[in-house]
Amino acid sequence: MKQAIKGAIKQAAPGLVQAVQRLKRLEEKVDALQAQITEQEARYEKHDFRIDHLKALSKEVEPYQPTYGFTGIFDDPARDSLDRARIIESHLGNPANLRVLDIGSSIGYMCYYFADRGAQAEGWDFRPKNAEVSRLVGEINGIDITVKTKQFDLETVKTIQPGSKDVVFILSVIHHILYYNDLAYTQKLMKELMERVPVLVVELARKGEDKKLFWDAAQPEDELAIFDLIKDDITIEKIADIGNHLSKHTRPLYIIRAKKQVTVNSHVYRYDHRVNAAYEKSPMVYSPLVRRYYFANKNIIKEYDFAKDTDNVNRKQIVAEINALLQLEGVHGLPKMTEFELTATGAKVVLERVPGNLLSEKLTDSYSAAVQVGIAKDILKTLRDLRTAGLNHNDVRSWNVIFDGKKATLIDYGLVAPTQTDDDVVSLLWVLHAMSQGEREGFEMFKDVPPATAFKGSEKLEALYKKVKAGERDPAKLLETLS
């Protein structure tokens, strides 16, 4: 545009001074206008129009929480929320990888607070607009959570898969459940929830907080009566009294925990029973080494304590098992490790539970020759695959074999190593001998082969025995004997 104006000046007749001056002033105005346009374009490029959309949406929701990560959306939110978030975090510990569900999540403040610190967060709110605002807050912040438009009732609680969440927040929600249903329903709801999730954080309104509030009369005299159906199965800890926006009274903040639970990293696992020995009459019971085994429907958790581990026995074995289960692939019947925690004071390993029972616990059962052959095949396949990887199991025992009636699985990889500290193939013969005799084998390493009488009557078992006695130790070749 400037070039065009200058061209016009050059073409103007000489002596037209006034015309030139007018053109110069016009040029200056054009320059100023161009500068304004450039400035506006820069502002336009920097402006986040999602904020405008969020401000418009905010007029359609209750200003209950602040928007996480930035201000200026709600002038005066009802609940500060940061105080509760910090108190909860201080009692739950490191949020990294914690699987959180916030029921009644409003516009997602609690979800985003914990997700911003490494948690996997999900929010439920029955108002679609709240969910829409919450998702937009996450988009602007660049924080990923899951937001669902969901009621809080028995049917929706049943959609929570047991073990899928570590903790559920229910903050100032339950007084509405009591009002719209009743105490008996709410007690069933809490029972159903605690069967699926090991930890609850609840903020509870109290009866008499303000008698003018429509839900006040529906509240029980004791706010903890909602847990009466499960009171013997939980622990209840009050962690704070929190001010609220409806009255001058405070509301108690509680952590409810299932009694039978163990934490690995930040994940909380429910278990049915715990033992201090991996199998009946284990010699480890009389050892100063501390080991614990937690049994659940889907998992077994091993915990090895290093406090009295003066010879590093616990440390070496649990680290060897973790390493083997992390590195090995394609090994027949290899147990699946889903998580582990290793610290200076101890280690925990979470394993998927293998169906069946330890052979050592079922030795008095009657096992046919065909069943024994099948068990031998499964164990030899595992030993073959380990040998291919340059490793020995070094602990083939009846108490390290799980049998479900069809398949045998060799477990416990704590002694797996390239060096041979036991004769795996001879130990397999002793497992078969124990099955035929109905009596558990001994603990010795590098034993001689057992008596031949236990293998007579079965052509395949006799052939296996003779090969091993003759010195064959290759699991792959011994498998051919059983084919």
Side-chain angles (χ1 to χ4, degrees):
M1 185 178 289
K2 289 174 64 178
Q3 294 301 323
I5 293 171
K6 288 178 180 179
I9 293 173
K10 289 178 181 179
Q11 294 175 10
L16 297 178
V17 177
Q18 292 180 344
V20 171
Q21 289 175 342
R22 285 198 298 270
L23 286 172
K24 285 184 176 180
R25 287 194 296 271
L26 179 60
E27 182 181 10
E28 290 171 355
K29 289 181 179 179
V30 170
D31 285 343
L33 180 60
Q34 183 65 50
Q36 290 178 12
I37 292 171
T38 302
E39 183 181 353
Q40 289 295 329
E41 286 177 344
R43 289 178 181 175
Y44 184 88
E45 290 175 359
K46 291 180 180 179
H47 185 71
D48 191 340
F49 285 91
R50 296 174 300 179
I51 300 282
D52 297 335
H53 182 41
L54 184 60
K55 287 180 178 178
L57 279 176
S58 69
K59 297 176 182 177
E60 303 179 49
V61 301
E62 179 187 4
Y64 181 70
Q65 295 176 342
T67 46
Y68 183 82
F70 51 91
T71 59
I73 304 302
F74 297 123
D75 293 331
D76 188 21
R79 303 296 299 273
D80 173 66
S81 298
L82 179 61
D83 56 346
R84 293 182 297 170
R86 285 175 172 168
I87 290 168
I88 293 168
E89 181 186 10
S90 70
H91 283 81
L92 292 181
N94 184 3
N97 298 315
L98 194 70
R99 298 167 298 177
V100 174
L101 171 61
D102 184 15
I103 295 177
S105 55
S106 186
I107 62 169
Y109 186 93
M110 288 294 174
C111 287
Y112 287 117
Y113 179 92
F114 281 89
D116 202 13
R117 289 154 178 78
Q120 301 170 34
E122 178 179 323
W124 289 6
D125 199 280
F126 75 94
R127 299 177 183 90
K129 284 294 181 183
N130 277 355
E132 187 177 356
V133 169
S134 184
R135 293 188 187 100
L136 188 53
V137 169
E139 183 183 330
I140 295 169
N141 276 303
I143 304 173
D144 185 33
I145 70 168
T146 301
V147 183
K148 296 180 180 179
T149 303
K150 249 184 177 184
Q151 296 281 350
F152 177 36
D153 55 36
L154 280 169
E155 293 308 310
T156 56
V157 165
K158 289 176 182 177
T159 66
I160 302 171
Q161 291 298 314
S164 65
K165 303 296 180 188
D166 297 307
V167 59
V168 171
F169 302 158
I170 317 174
L171 307 178
S172 287
V173 171
I174 294 175
H175 55 280
H176 293 292
I177 303 298
L178 287 160
Y179 174 78
Y180 288 108
N181 298 277
D182 57 24
L183 177 59
Y185 180 89
T186 308
Q187 289 171 335
K188 291 178 183 177
L189 190 60
M190 293 300 103
K191 183 176 187 297
E192 188 71 37
L193 192 55
M194 286 301 294
E195 288 177 354
R196 298 167 180 279
V197 181
V199 180
L200 303 182
V201 178
V202 296
E203 181 184 16
L204 300 178
R206 285 171 165 154
K207 191 180 186 70
E209 185 177 299
D210 186 339
K211 293 183 179 179
K212 295 178 182 178
L213 294 168
F214 69 92
W215 43 260
D216 186 82
Q219 306 310 302
E221 294 296 332
D222 177 4
E223 71 271 12
L224 294 174
I226 61 173
F227 298 110
D228 278 357
L229 292 181
I230 52 173
K231 61 185 179 182
D232 294 333
D233 302 319
I234 60 175
T235 62
I236 300 175
E237 178 188 5
K238 186 166 82 166
I239 59 175
D241 284 299
I242 305 292
N244 71 89
H245 61 303
L246 295 179
S247 75
K248 295 180 180 179
H249 294 280
T250 59
R251 290 178 180 172
L253 190 62
Y254 294 102
I255 290 186
I256 315 299
R257 302 179 190 271
K259 285 184 177 178
K260 291 182 178 180
Q261 62 183 37
V262 58
T263 302
V264 182
N265 297 317
S266 19
H267 294 154
V268 183
Y269 293 86
R270 296 281 293 271
Y271 65 90
D272 300 320
H273 67 282
R274 189 193 87 176
V275 296
N276 295 331
Y279 53 93
E280 187 179 358
K281 296 181 181 179
S282 166
M284 292 303 298
V285 173
Y286 308 102
S287 165
L289 298 178
V290 177
R291 298 180 181 181
R292 304 178 189 90
Y293 303 85
Y294 304 87
F295 290 82
N297 184 41
K298 294 182 179 180
N299 300 303
I300 292 177
I301 299 171
K302 291 183 175 184
E303 180 180 17
Y304 282 24
D305 195 315
F306 300 159
K308 298 180 180 179
D309 193 17
T310 54
D311 295 325
N312 284 331
V313 174
N314 267 3
R315 190 187 305 271
K316 288 177 181 177
Q317 289 192 16
I318 199 71
V319 169
E321 180 155 36
I322 291 170
N323 184 61
L325 297 181
L326 277 176
Q327 301 296 328
L328 290 172
E329 293 182 1
V331 174
H332 178 81
L334 185 73
K336 184 176 180 181
M337 179 176 65
T338 59
E339 186 172 10
F340 71 91
E341 176 183 313
L342 183 60
T343 69
T345 58
K348 297 172 188 171
V349 175
V350 183
L351 303 166
E352 284 190 2
R353 190 161 184 175
V354 178
N357 300 99
L358 294 178
L359 271 181
S360 60
E361 296 174 354
K362 297 289 183 179
L363 290 176
T364 56
D365 291 358
S366 179
Y367 295 99
S368 67
V371 169
Q372 292 186 52
V373 168
I375 290 172
K377 282 183 176 180
D378 279 329
I379 296 174
L380 284 170
K381 287 176 183 177
T382 301
L383 296 178
R384 174 201 62 195
D385 295 342
L386 287 173
R387 185 72 63 85
T388 300
L391 297 170
N392 302 279
H393 186 273
N394 290 320
D395 203 13
V396 178
R397 302 288 188 269
S398 62
W399 52 87
N400 286 332
V401 176
I402 294 179
F403 184 56
D404 66 358
K406 295 181 180 179
K407 179 182 178 182
T409 302
L410 185 60
I411 62 170
D412 201 335
Y413 283 61
L415 295 179
V416 167
T419 54
Q420 188 181 39
T421 57
D422 191 35
D423 191 325
D424 286 339
V425 170
V426 171
S427 290
L428 170 59
L429 291 186
W430 278 103
V431 170
L432 297 172
H433 180 269
M435 293 172 66
S436 67
Q437 300 300 305
E439 184 176 343
R440 193 172 68 183
E441 73 275 30
F443 298 101
E444 312 93 274
M445 297 287 190
F446 285 114
K447 299 182 288 292
D448 291 332
V449 294
T453 53
F455 302 89
K456 290 184 177 179
S458 167
E459 181 180 340
K460 291 183 177 181
L461 291 177
E462 283 193 65
L464 174 67
Y465 180 83
K466 289 177 180 178
K467 283 268 188 180
V468 175
K469 188 173 177 61
E472 182 60 71
R473 294 295 184 271
D474 186 339
K477 291 181 179 179
L478 293 173
L479 267 171
E480 294 174 2
T481 305
L482 297 178
S483 299

